[in-house]
Amino acid sequence: MSLQTIPRLFCQQIRAYSYKPVKRVSLPPASKLPPKAETATTNLSLKHDLQSRIRATGPIPVATYMKQVLTNPSAGYYMTSRDVFGSKGDFITSPEIGQIFGEMIAVWCVNEWSKFGRPVPFQLIELGPGKGTMMRDVLRVFDKLKVSQGMAVQMVEMSEHLSEVQARLLCRSSMEYTDKPYYRSGITASGTKIYWYRQLEDVPEGFAVVLAHEFFDALPVHKFVKQDNAWKEVLIDIEPKSEDGFRFIVSKSETPMLRLFLNNYPDLVKDRNQIEISFEAETIIRQIGSRFNGNGGFGLVVDYGHLGEKGDTFRAFKNHKLHDPLQEPGSADLTADVDFSLLSRFCEDTTQLVTIGPTSQRAFLEAAGAQERLNVLMGNGGLSEEEKQRLSDGFRMLTDPEQMGERFKFFGLYPKELESFVKQKF
């Protein structure tokens, strides 16, 4: 079993349909969606809230700051109506570049699901679905390969605004709820039911295919550094010179999360001088392990990251450029590279998961038949030269080692009982 092993049968099937590229439908502008508070006002309010908290209780961990900035219910970066994805937002993701990305993930999912005997019913769970673009491409392939029957789509999305954006893209109709575990549901044009949940633990049990694309990099991280042969936690305090901004400091004494880190990961203390660790990521991995152990399933994590060689990757992006993460909180995306060595460690510690990878995005897409799919799309006689150029440029961006090809990693998760079959590592 391998992230790169996909029978050509599936590649042939995917090449047998949709010879025209799928056009990226423009989403409704923020002005067409339910009104939200003005961005400048909410950013100012969030900054004041954070400063008030620091004045009352002292400097806060980076994870606390990150979580508030991204998911504060009234002013968080992902919670308001700003368009954060795409060329007009702050960053662009692989699914927005072209349909081939989502199609190849769909082909891999069908291939792995077939190895389990095509169990039904089953759940397709996506963590942090963004605009819903990848799910749209995945569902289109599932429909064409006739594997959607008996499937329910479960979207884990904290932002009600983004859930509405996703529903508009994916569903012919949707409804909101306040008295159910899910807060929104809808149905696609082909009849597939979709449900939205705020957290993974609310999703019903059952055989699950879990997808997490650029999800773990947005989970809050605690930052620890070694100074004078002693470990300290990096905290965020008010900038004393201006009283209007923030600054990084190190803890003077052992913090609760530092103690947890030192107790649980003594081996890492010996090998590194600084580290970023997401305890929320550890919790979610444990939940996935429990699901697979009780009901079966498999998962795929796609994110940018490293294998433990980096220790300081916390940063912000605004208008596709690096931005000071402590300036104008709520106006820019906060992120930290995924430490896949830690993610693998979390999986191992569950005693319920076995992993494959990570492997590069370029290697995964090539093995899945992305080049063949591009050739088919480029061979469509009805395409203009401009459309062909856009397809070619997008493919190069996804696979070029100097762009997304090596920076993004694919990481497979399987039930522990399959360990004897999972032999190839990357």
Side-chain angles (χ1 to χ4, degrees):
M1 186 182 294
S2 163
L3 284 177
Q4 295 179 324
T5 303
I6 300 176
R8 289 297 168 182
L9 169 63
F10 290 102
C11 297
Q12 292 167 0
Q13 288 178 300
I14 199 70
R15 291 196 295 268
Y17 81 92
S18 186
Y19 285 85
K20 291 185 178 181
V22 176
K23 293 184 177 180
R24 293 304 189 214
V25 179
S26 298
L27 292 169
S31 60
K32 299 295 184 181
L33 295 173
K36 304 280 184 179
E38 291 296 327
T39 300
T41 302
T42 55
N43 289 346
L44 186 61
S45 173
L46 179 58
K47 182 175 73 171
H48 288 165
D49 287 348
L50 287 165
Q51 289 177 335
S52 297
R53 178 170 183 168
I54 292 172
R55 290 190 180 98
T57 63
I60 59 177
V62 172
T64 301
Y65 177 86
M66 189 174 179
K67 186 169 186 175
Q68 281 297 303
V69 169
L70 294 181
T71 63
N72 179 280
S74 61
Y77 177 77
Y78 286 114
M79 310 301 279
T80 57
S81 59
R82 66 168 58 87
D83 188 3
V84 302
F85 303 99
S87 59
K88 295 181 180 180
D90 296 317
F91 57 92
I92 191 166
T93 63
S94 294
E96 306 298 329
I97 294 173
Q99 70 193 72
I100 291 176
F101 182 83
E103 289 178 346
M104 295 303 102
I105 287 181
V107 169
W108 181 83
C109 287
V110 174
N111 179 54
E112 299 305 292
W113 176 65
S114 297
K115 293 177 182 177
F116 283 86
R118 297 189 165 217
V120 289
F122 73 99
Q123 303 182 79
L124 180 59
I125 302 173
E126 184 172 5
L127 308 179
K131 283 184 175 181
T133 307
M134 187 178 81
M135 181 58 73
R136 181 184 64 178
D137 293 336
V138 168
L139 291 180
R140 188 178 65 255
V141 173
F142 274 38
D143 289 340
K144 292 296 181 180
L145 298 182
K146 302 186 185 306
V147 298
S148 299
Q149 187 173 2
M151 176 184 73
V153 176
Q154 318 286 14
M155 310 281 265
V156 179
E157 176 60 72
M158 292 183 63
S159 170
E160 292 189 13
H161 164 69
L162 284 176
S163 77
E164 182 171 354
V165 171
Q166 296 153 12
R168 286 174 179 248
L169 185 67
L170 297 172
C171 301
R172 68 186 184 204
S173 63
S174 66
M175 294 183 62
E176 298 180 13
Y177 301 89
T178 59
D179 59 342
K180 299 181 183 294
Y182 50 88
Y183 64 91
R184 182 187 296 276
S185 72
I187 187 168
T188 69
S190 62
T192 299
K193 294 181 179 180
I194 305 181
Y195 303 89
W196 278 264
Y197 301 82
R198 289 185 174 82
Q199 51 192 10
L200 178 59
E201 60 188 328
D202 292 335
V203 177
E205 297 293 326
F207 187 94
V209 180
V210 179
L211 300 176
H213 175 259
E214 289 201 48
F215 170 76
F216 283 94
D217 68 274
L219 294 181
V221 294
H222 287 266
K223 292 177 65 69
F224 305 111
V225 297
K226 185 187 289 184
Q227 290 187 350
D228 300 324
N229 208 34
W231 279 92
K232 308 285 186 180
E233 180 168 7
V234 177
L235 304 173
I236 293 177
D237 196 4
I238 298 173
E239 173 57 59
K241 293 182 180 180
S242 68
E243 286 290 316
D244 189 44
F246 300 92
R247 62 169 180 165
F248 292 109
I249 64 170
V250 295
S251 58
K252 295 180 179 179
S253 58
E254 188 177 78
T255 65
M257 300 312 292
L258 176 57
R259 185 181 303 115
L260 178 65
F261 165 64
L262 295 174
N263 289 341
N264 289 3
Y265 302 96
D267 55 319
L268 296 180
V269 172
K270 301 176 183 178
D271 299 333
R272 306 192 190 188
N273 292 318
Q274 55 182 331
I275 193 169
E276 295 164 331
I277 184 169
S278 172
F279 295 107
E280 284 197 24
E282 183 177 17
T283 298
I284 290 171
I285 287 295
R286 290 188 180 279
Q287 291 175 359
I288 293 173
S290 178
R291 284 179 176 274
F292 290 177
N293 183 60
N295 303 281
F298 59 92
L300 184 65
V301 175
V302 184
D303 229 311
Y304 49 86
H306 58 93
L307 298 177
E309 70 275 12
K310 297 180 181 180
D312 183 17
T313 68
F314 176 65
R315 61 201 184 281
F317 284 97
K318 185 175 183 179
N319 297 324
H320 300 272
K321 296 179 180 179
L322 283 171
H323 179 79
D324 186 339
L326 302 186
Q327 292 295 319
E328 302 174 322
S331 69
D333 181 40
L334 299 183
T335 181
D337 286 14
V338 175
D339 184 338
F340 282 100
S341 68
L342 270 178
L343 209 60
S344 180
R345 171 73 170 271
F346 295 158
C347 293
E348 181 181 346
D349 288 348
T350 68
T351 69
Q352 297 176 325
L353 291 172
V354 60
T355 65
I356 300 179
T359 189
S360 71
Q361 178 165 293
R362 175 184 58 82
F364 180 94
L365 293 178
E366 287 179 355
Q371 181 64 61
E372 292 92 330
R373 178 61 173 150
L374 175 66
N375 294 342
V376 169
L377 294 172
M378 295 286 282
N380 175 29
L383 292 184
S384 66
E385 289 303 314
E386 181 181 355
E387 289 173 316
K388 289 183 179 180
Q389 188 64 50
R390 187 165 58 247
L391 277 171
S392 178
D393 290 345
F395 183 81
R396 182 164 51 253
M397 186 173 182
L398 290 172
T399 58
D400 191 326
E402 299 300 319
Q403 298 188 59
M404 291 180 166
E406 293 295 330
R407 180 162 172 71
F408 281 79
K409 311 295 184 185
F410 282 61
F411 187 66
L413 311 178
Y414 296 86
K416 184 70 171 179
E417 62 188 27
L418 295 182
E419 185 169 18
S420 60
F421 298 96
V422 179
K423 297 180 179 179
Q424 189 169 358
K425 300 288 184 180
F426 296 94

